Amino acid sequence: MIVRPVVEKYAEEVSSPAPSWLAALVADTEAETDLPAMMVGSLEGEFLAAVVFALRPRRILEIGTFTGYSALCMARAMPEGCELHTCELNPLHVSIARKHFAASPWAESIHLWEGPALTSIGDLPGPFDLVFVDADKPGYIDYYEAVLPKLSPHGLLLADNVLQFGGVANERDQQPDTVAMRAFNAHVAADPRVRQSVLTVREGVSVIRRVG
């Protein structure tokens, strides 16, 4: 984490807990995947739900479903009539997500697109009121450029993992994901079409909005 572990733990303890029905998804993810820590977790999940509640979007796009935790967190805060489109490449992750989406109250509102995200984005018409990017880090700039034209005028684009546990601020950290996120952050910061606020939630979340 970016903040001190004791602060992170305290923040989780005083934030609203994850709904109990997410426990089954967490259990399946921990049992069947190699990197269960890729789930956004309860703290960020509640943050995503709050953004959806405040924004009241009609259409949401998620790039990087993993096993569906973040999608379900957003879905439980969606207004009536909202639809959520989520993209995932890994067949195992798709199967776990489909199972839990089908068992949820939002089965008819969540649409899971299997395959390369850029292909799915190209096939989906805009506009989207909220876009959440949490996928392969080297692809972030391409995802950003593909979805920005489809972001509604008052929509938000959230990009996850942008601080890489603080590694982006250390030039000696040349891990591929860190290098990719450093390039993405610089790309967005230099883009006159948007304004960006980088939050220190978990590994860092950028809140991006269009201004032109």
Side-chain angles (χ1 to χ4, degrees):
M1 302 305 169
I2 299 166
V3 301
R4 290 181 297 161
V6 65
V7 176
E8 183 86 12
K9 183 174 184 295
Y10 176 80
E12 291 179 351
E13 289 174 350
V14 297
S15 295
S16 298
S20 58
W21 46 263
L22 276 175
L25 171 57
V26 172
D28 282 353
T29 303
E30 291 176 343
E32 299 181 39
T33 71
D34 295 330
L35 292 170
M38 286 172 56
M39 286 184 291
V40 297
S42 61
L43 191 63
E44 190 174 352
E46 195 61 33
F47 167 73
L48 291 173
V51 170
V52 172
F53 177 82
L55 196 59
R56 297 191 61 79
R58 305 306 299 169
R59 303 182 77 228
I60 300 171
L61 174 63
E62 177 181 54
I63 303 172
T65 314
F66 189 39
T67 57
Y69 189 104
S70 51
L72 288 173
C73 287
M74 290 188 285
R76 65 187 173 93
M78 292 192 307
E80 185 176 355
C82 182
E83 58 185 44
L84 190 158
H85 296 266
T86 182
C87 309
E88 178 58 46
L89 180 63
N90 185 298
L92 172 61
H93 301 165
V94 167
S95 67
I96 297 172
R98 285 196 193 282
K99 170 186 171 182
H100 289 276
F101 292 165
S104 79
W106 307 284
E108 300 300 318
S109 301
I110 301 176
H111 308 279
L112 178 53
W113 298 80
E114 183 175 2
L118 287 175
T119 300
S120 299
I121 294 167
D123 292 339
L124 288 168
F128 290 98
D129 305 303
L130 178 63
V131 176
F132 179 51
V133 183
D134 186 13
D136 61 293
K137 310 316 167 195
Y140 266 43
I141 292 177
D142 289 338
Y143 299 142
Y144 170 79
E145 291 294 342
V147 301
L148 191 61
K150 298 187 178 188
L151 189 66
S152 66
H154 295 283
L156 292 179
L157 190 159
L158 306 181
D160 202 14
N161 310 122
V162 295
L163 297 180
Q164 289 290 294
F165 296 110
V168 290
N170 178 5
E171 289 296 333
R172 291 177 296 177
D173 187 340
Q174 293 297 310
Q175 296 181 78
D177 282 356
T178 304
V179 171
M181 295 316 300
R182 197 178 286 129
F184 171 76
N185 293 335
H187 182 83
V188 177
D191 190 343
R193 299 172 295 175
V194 303
R195 297 285 294 178
Q196 170 177 232
S197 176
V198 180
L199 309 180
T200 54
V201 177
R202 297 198 85 218
E203 286 186 55
V205 179
S206 281
V207 181
I208 302 164
R209 58 186 173 90
R210 289 172 56 180
V211 294

